[in-house]
Amino acid sequence: GKWKNKERVLIFSSRGINFRTRHLMQDLRTLMPHSKADTKMDRKDQLFVINEVCEMKNCNKCIFFEAKKKQDLYMWLSNIPQGPSAKFLVQNVHTLAELKMTGNCLRGSRPLLSFDPTFDKEPHYALLKELFIQIFSTPQYHPKSQPFVDHVFTFTVTDERIWFRNYQIIEEDASLVEIGPRFVLNLIKIFQGSFGGPTLYENPHYRSPNMHRRLLRLSVAAKFREKQQVKEVQKVKKKGSKVLLEEDPTEVVFETPAEEKPVEIQLVKPESKPIVKDKKKLRKIQRKKQKKLFRTE
């Protein structure tokens, strides 16, 4: 057959990504034979420059990984050059080498795309579904692809997030075994243009990583303040508990007072005790004197 669907996807990132993001990017390139690579983009460059890079690479789709603060990872999916484009926060990233799954698939084989029923119910999910189909599906009769279908890309909506999984189809019983990689996409915004333009949809359930970290710090501080307040209350209770009680006259009923001894006043000085010298020491001294006399004689 002829290669009619000329979809090409550019997969690259900005500077400052960590090793896990780099391995995830490499895994997506190996799973998508219709993808291309490029050098990392400088942080100072604006995002609309990516459209020119895609035109030079002859690509009409783009997956761009943007790193911020060396700990937050964002993913852009865009249709070049008209749009639309979507921005996601990537969470819970696990790469192929990290998972060590038992599944395996042919390199360059075409995948099946499986979508959650939620993608057909809401309009913004329907738009994302079409974007996922155009980006992740390998074109038929692509020169680098194999004429086999032996794995499935699943997109599931759970907890207002999109969960990506990759499974191998086993021929014997058509069961599924996970291969990897796996990650979770938290939708932020959908734009009309490519890497910008009017906002078509904004996720009301999205919470930025900075806000999440701030809430964690506030919860820890609240726990510490609560402990300090408990300590202060305990100190106040201890001070208030020291109250003098009235004497109970019945407590002395069974006490028997001890007999008082008569007081004796000595008018005469007591006799001093005789000092008893050690007899052994006296004998030693006498022996030494005798030896000295004997030597002088």
Side-chain angles (χ1 to χ4, degrees):
K2 291 184 179 179
W3 176 31
K4 295 180 181 179
N5 184 12
K6 300 292 181 73
E7 294 283 351
R8 296 182 183 88
V9 183
L10 181 65
I11 303 176
F12 72 120
S13 69
S14 64
R15 297 194 181 278
I17 60 171
N18 54 11
F19 69 96
R20 185 173 280 110
T21 308
R22 188 171 65 251
H23 286 288
L24 174 64
M25 196 165 53
Q26 191 62 37
D27 293 342
L28 289 177
R29 286 172 183 166
T30 54
L31 290 172
M32 300 163 64
H34 61 293
S35 65
K36 288 188 177 182
D38 194 22
T39 57
K40 294 178 182 178
M41 197 179 76
D42 198 359
R43 293 181 184 176
K44 297 179 182 178
D45 295 339
Q46 299 294 328
L47 290 176
F48 60 82
V49 180
I50 300 174
N51 297 325
E52 300 176 4
V53 176
C54 291
E55 286 181 7
M56 289 189 293
K57 288 284 183 179
N58 195 18
C59 297
N60 51 3
K61 298 290 185 295
C62 180
I63 299 177
F64 177 68
F65 291 95
E66 185 180 8
K68 290 184 179 180
K69 294 187 176 181
K70 296 184 179 180
Q71 54 184 343
D72 302 329
L73 177 64
Y74 298 92
M75 178 192 284
W76 285 83
L77 300 179
S78 178
N79 181 26
I80 306 296
Q82 289 86 12
S85 59
K87 185 180 181 181
F88 301 90
L89 174 68
V90 187
Q91 299 171 327
N92 300 335
V93 177
H94 298 283
T95 59
L96 275 168
E98 184 181 358
L99 288 173
K100 296 181 181 178
M101 295 290 184
T102 55
N104 192 9
C105 66
L106 185 66
R107 185 186 179 95
S109 60
R110 300 180 64 214
L112 292 174
L113 300 184
S114 172
F115 290 92
D116 195 85
T118 316
F119 281 94
D120 299 325
K121 295 178 181 178
E122 299 185 17
H124 62 281
Y125 280 132
L127 179 62
L128 290 177
K129 178 181 177 181
E130 185 62 31
L131 197 61
F132 288 146
I133 289 172
Q134 293 184 16
I135 289 177
F136 287 96
S137 61
T138 303
Q140 193 175 11
Y141 304 119
H142 191 277
K144 293 183 180 179
S145 66
Q146 300 291 338
F148 303 104
V149 178
D150 60 350
H151 64 287
V152 186
F153 290 162
T154 61
F155 298 89
T156 312
V157 178
T158 308
D159 193 22
E160 304 297 334
R161 291 169 174 81
I162 300 171
W163 300 63
F164 175 86
R165 296 289 184 271
N166 181 22
Y167 296 96
Q168 178 198 358
I169 304 172
I170 299 176
E171 295 180 2
E172 288 78 11
D173 53 354
S175 61
L176 299 178
V177 179
E178 188 174 356
I179 305 173
R182 56 161 70 168
F183 53 87
V184 180
L185 299 176
N186 190 0
L187 178 63
I188 302 173
K189 284 184 181 181
I190 300 176
F191 299 96
Q192 185 177 353
S194 177
F195 294 98
T199 303
L200 298 179
Y201 176 79
E202 185 174 358
N203 187 7
H205 305 283
Y206 171 71
R207 183 184 293 167
S208 66
N210 292 332
M211 180 62 69
H212 181 67
R213 287 190 286 267
R214 181 173 175 272
L215 291 175
L216 287 177
R217 289 195 298 269
L218 288 175
S219 64
V220 173
K223 287 181 182 179
F224 179 74
R225 282 197 300 269
E226 187 178 352
K227 287 182 180 179
Q228 293 296 324
Q229 289 174 1
V230 170
K231 287 181 180 179
E232 289 177 1
V233 170
Q234 289 176 353
K235 286 180 181 179
V236 171
K237 284 183 178 179
K238 285 181 180 179
K239 288 179 181 179
S241 62
K242 293 179 180 179
V243 180
L244 295 174
L245 299 175
E246 296 180 359
E247 292 184 358
D248 190 4
T250 58
E251 289 182 354
V252 203
V253 172
F254 297 101
E255 290 184 2
T256 54
E259 296 179 358
E260 294 183 359
K261 294 181 179 180
V263 181
E264 296 181 357
I265 300 172
Q266 292 183 357
L267 301 174
V268 183
K269 184 180 178 182
E271 296 180 358
S272 60
K273 295 180 181 179
I275 299 169
V276 180
K277 293 184 178 180
D278 193 359
K279 294 180 180 180
K280 291 183 179 180
K281 285 184 178 181
L282 290 172
R283 288 175 185 172
K284 286 181 181 179
I285 293 167
Q286 289 176 0
R287 286 175 187 171
K288 285 181 180 179
K289 287 180 179 180
Q290 289 176 359
K291 285 181 181 179
K292 283 181 181 180
L293 291 170
F294 180 74
R295 285 175 184 172
T296 50
E297 289 176 357

